[in-house]
Amino acid sequence: MSPKAMLAVIVLGIGALVASQGLYVVNETERAIKLQFGEIVDADIQPGLHWKSPLIQNVKRFDARVLTLDTNPSRFLTAGKKYVIVDSFAKWRIKDVRAYYKATSGDRFQASNLLANLVNKGLRDEIAARSLHEVVSGERDELMTKLTATLNTETQDDLGIEVLDVRVKAVDLPDDLSNSVYNRMSAEREREAREHRSQGKELAEGIEADADRQKTVIEAEAYRDAERTKGEGDAEAAKIYAKAYNKDPEFYAFTRSLKAYEETFKQNDVIMLKPDSDFFRYMKDAKGK
């Protein structure tokens, strides 16, 4: 190989080495900063292919995706001086790479520890301003929204981190407080049960009394209507009898006697009457009349 060819190969090799040391790629899921002798010279590097001075400058990349901080359950004191154990998590991402690097040196573990301390501090302040009922009730969403907004302001200024959401996974009570709350709730439920039973008994007695009253009224009205109907029937019967008697008094008397015979003789009792009694008037022959 000629000296010129050898020189060209050497130059190309040096160029390739320089290019490999100077060219770098930033992915879409990353944020990056460029340092020169430890000083930040570019904190807003966009995704794509970029150049840096070999041996003088270096590039640090950070995960730009939404990350999850899962904090350890911690004890907090409510406004009513009751302890609660809160298990929470936070969603966050890098907002300002320069501030993030200055605060954490690009160490994600350190960033998580700093953010966890701020989350616990925020939870402590918010829970201390609320009662136990407010912490475990529907006001929890309001608490989380307010805490997220407060943390966002603090973390963006101090850590270069944007807090997207803070959520409480569980709110538990210490064992001693849990037993106390359970006993109080049990007593409260028993009291409510007694009140419901008492109200039910009172309502049942009222319904029963009203039913008895309605029964008495209905029976009285039914008896009144029956007596009225019976009286009207008797009057109608008497009217019919009178009408029949006026048409043929003798025949009417005869049929009435037959009816009397039927009602009398079907009994087993002994009846003693004089033979010439008017009761046997129609049982005598025509000569005996």
Side-chain angles (χ1 to χ4, degrees):
M1 181 180 295
S2 65
K4 289 185 178 180
M6 180 65 71
L7 180 61
V9 170
I10 293 174
V11 171
L12 288 174
I14 293 174
L17 179 62
V18 171
S20 65
Q21 294 294 321
L23 292 174
Y24 66 95
V25 176
V26 177
N27 295 325
E28 292 288 343
T29 59
E30 294 178 332
R31 302 293 297 275
I33 60 172
K34 185 188 296 183
L35 303 173
Q36 182 172 315
F37 302 117
E39 295 293 331
I40 300 174
V41 295
D42 190 354
D44 189 21
I45 302 176
Q46 300 299 315
L49 181 64
H50 301 276
W51 169 263
K52 67 180 178 65
S53 300
L55 304 178
I56 298 176
Q57 297 176 338
N58 65 311
V59 175
K60 290 187 177 292
R61 299 173 179 83
F62 313 107
D63 195 340
R65 294 172 296 183
V66 176
L67 305 175
T68 300
L69 170 67
D70 195 355
T71 62
N72 294 322
S74 302
R75 289 167 60 99
F76 300 104
L77 192 64
T78 66
K81 306 304 179 184
K82 301 292 185 182
Y83 278 103
V84 292
I85 301 175
V86 179
D87 188 6
S88 63
F89 70 91
K91 294 288 186 180
W92 65 280
R93 65 185 174 191
I94 299 173
K95 181 71 172 179
D96 186 342
V97 183
R98 184 187 297 272
Y100 176 77
Y101 181 76
K102 287 182 177 180
T104 66
S105 298
D107 187 346
R108 180 175 168 182
F109 180 75
Q110 182 179 354
S112 296
N113 287 337
L114 292 173
L115 181 58
N117 292 335
L118 292 176
V119 170
N120 285 337
K121 177 180 178 298
L123 282 172
R124 184 177 296 107
D125 293 341
E126 293 296 331
I127 291 175
R130 289 171 169 79
S131 65
L132 177 61
H133 176 72
E134 292 171 340
V135 171
V136 300
S137 68
E139 292 192 14
R140 186 191 302 180
D141 291 339
E142 179 185 347
L143 184 153
M144 294 298 98
T145 301
K146 183 178 180 180
L147 177 59
T148 300
T150 303
L151 281 175
N152 225 340
T153 302
E154 188 172 358
T155 56
Q156 288 193 40
D157 294 339
D158 297 342
L159 304 179
I161 290 174
E162 179 184 11
V163 178
L164 302 176
D165 195 12
V166 178
R167 289 292 163 184
V168 171
K169 293 191 292 185
V171 178
D172 298 320
L173 300 175
D175 292 339
D176 54 344
L177 185 57
S178 295
N179 294 333
S180 175
V181 171
Y182 173 79
N183 292 333
R184 185 167 64 253
M185 291 177 63
S186 178
E188 180 67 17
R189 295 299 178 270
E190 290 180 359
R191 182 187 64 79
E192 291 179 358
R194 288 195 298 270
E195 289 182 357
H196 287 311
R197 284 194 292 267
S198 176
Q199 293 174 359
K201 183 178 180 180
E202 181 180 356
L203 183 61
E205 290 177 350
I207 294 173
E208 184 177 357
D210 184 65
D212 290 340
R213 181 188 61 79
Q214 293 184 30
K215 174 186 174 183
T216 302
V217 171
I218 292 172
E219 288 179 345
E221 291 177 349
Y223 179 78
R224 179 200 62 197
D225 294 342
E227 289 297 314
R228 180 186 298 148
T229 303
K230 183 179 178 181
E232 292 174 351
D234 290 343
E236 185 66 21
K239 182 179 179 181
I240 294 172
Y241 290 153
K243 186 176 180 180
Y245 180 79
N246 291 332
K247 286 185 177 180
D248 192 344
E250 186 63 24
F251 180 75
Y252 177 77
F254 176 70
T255 57
R256 294 289 292 175
S257 296
L258 292 179
K259 183 66 175 178
Y261 295 157
E262 180 182 356
E263 294 294 330
T264 301
F265 295 146
K266 70 180 180 180
Q267 304 292 331
N268 295 324
D269 296 337
V270 177
I271 300 176
M272 298 183 66
L273 295 172
K274 294 181 178 181
D276 57 351
S277 174
D278 191 55
F279 182 72
F280 299 109
R281 171 184 174 188
Y282 293 101
M283 298 182 67
K284 299 176 183 178
D285 54 9
K287 293 181 180 181
K289 288 185 180 181

